[in-house]
Amino acid sequence: MFEKVNSKVVKVNVGQAGGVVARSGAMLFYTGQVAFAPHQIPGAGQGMGGGGLMRMAGQMMAGEHERTMLAQGNGEVHYGFAGLEVHVVQVQPGAVLRAEASRLLAQSAGLQASVVSVASSGGGGGGGGGGLMGALRGAAAGVVTGQGMFTTQLSGQGSAVLLAHGGFLELQVGGPNPIVVDPQAFVAAYGNVQTELKSAMSWRDAVGRGAGEAMQLHCHGQGVVYVQASEEKL
């Protein structure tokens, strides 16, 4: 569906793709008859029922979600954003792509999309669970690591385009040992990949003599983890 024009731009035939959802401001130019309308991923921007803490979690979810636009019609659209590197992922039935909203450029509209807590992504690998506690644990993790507390989950059949600083590394997950990633370099995970955020701090870190990262993202299961060649946030 999506075709790379160069390392920073993709193009797509909107009619053949069955519609395209892209972050607002990503459309560079188009040809043909294409219409654009505001779009919202299910679960994004919606309040979480209950008391003050639940409402706060819902507001944080809304704040982290990137605004998106739905393109429909017959024509070809070129997408890019802020001169960032792009990478196309083909999503197959039975597999899941999870990425922070800021790392997503566009996806085919036929993919099922939802917003979930980082703490519960990948089936609870982080031990946070869903609901209020998952959201609050995700918030704490986001503050420490610089990541958001929510991630966009895509499933079904179609394709999506990721964004990164300095290019992409594709790391195969499935060996006896997990892939350990700096959370700020993490872009996305595809397949059946569980993630677990662990503290790497020791007494040396507490007294300013540590050499490692404070938090590490452990990825295990089966699939691919995408990492950018930078720790810079998007």
Side-chain angles (χ1 to χ4, degrees):
M1 295 180 183
F2 292 96
E3 179 183 343
K4 289 182 69 172
V5 176
N6 56 38
S7 63
K8 299 178 181 179
V9 177
V10 295
K11 65 180 181 179
V12 60
N13 186 304
V14 173
Q16 293 179 2
V20 172
V21 175
R23 63 185 296 159
S24 189
M27 193 277 290
L28 302 178
F29 66 92
Y30 70 91
T31 57
Q33 302 298 316
V34 181
F36 298 87
H39 175 271
Q40 182 169 286
I41 293 177
Q46 299 176 2
M48 298 176 69
L53 287 175
M54 292 291 279
R55 287 196 297 272
M56 179 185 71
Q59 291 168 358
M60 294 178 75
M61 177 187 289
E64 288 188 9
H65 172 62
E66 300 289 340
R67 293 180 179 177
T68 54
M69 300 290 289
L70 173 64
Q72 293 178 303
N74 291 292
E76 187 174 75
V77 183
H78 285 66
Y79 290 104
F81 189 77
L84 296 169
E85 302 282 332
V86 297
H87 183 79
V88 180
V89 179
Q90 303 297 331
V91 181
Q92 300 296 330
V96 172
L97 176 67
R98 297 183 181 89
E100 199 171 346
S102 63
R103 314 282 190 177
L104 272 175
L105 175 67
Q107 74 251 19
S108 47
L111 288 173
Q112 288 77 55
S114 60
V115 177
V116 297
S117 167
V118 168
S120 62
S121 67
L132 175 60
M133 293 311 297
L136 294 180
R137 288 191 179 99
V143 169
V144 173
T145 65
Q147 278 193 308
M149 65 178 283
F150 293 97
T151 183
T152 300
Q153 178 173 288
L154 301 176
S155 60
Q157 186 165 15
S159 57
V161 185
L162 303 175
L163 292 169
H165 279 285
F168 288 84
L169 296 172
E170 290 188 39
L171 309 177
Q172 293 293 326
V173 180
N177 298 314
I179 300 292
V180 183
V181 178
D182 184 316
Q184 295 184 28
F186 175 82
V187 174
Y190 174 70
N192 182 22
V193 177
Q194 294 82 46
T195 57
E196 182 178 4
L197 192 64
K198 292 187 176 183
S199 171
M201 293 185 66
S202 66
W203 68 269
R204 290 182 178 273
D205 296 286
V207 298
R209 293 186 177 183
E213 301 289 347
M215 303 296 290
Q216 297 174 345
L217 193 64
H218 289 235
C219 307
H220 52 93
Q222 294 289 332
V224 178
V225 169
Y226 298 94
V227 177
Q228 68 175 10
S230 168
E231 293 184 1
E232 187 172 352
K233 289 190 67 179
L234 304 190

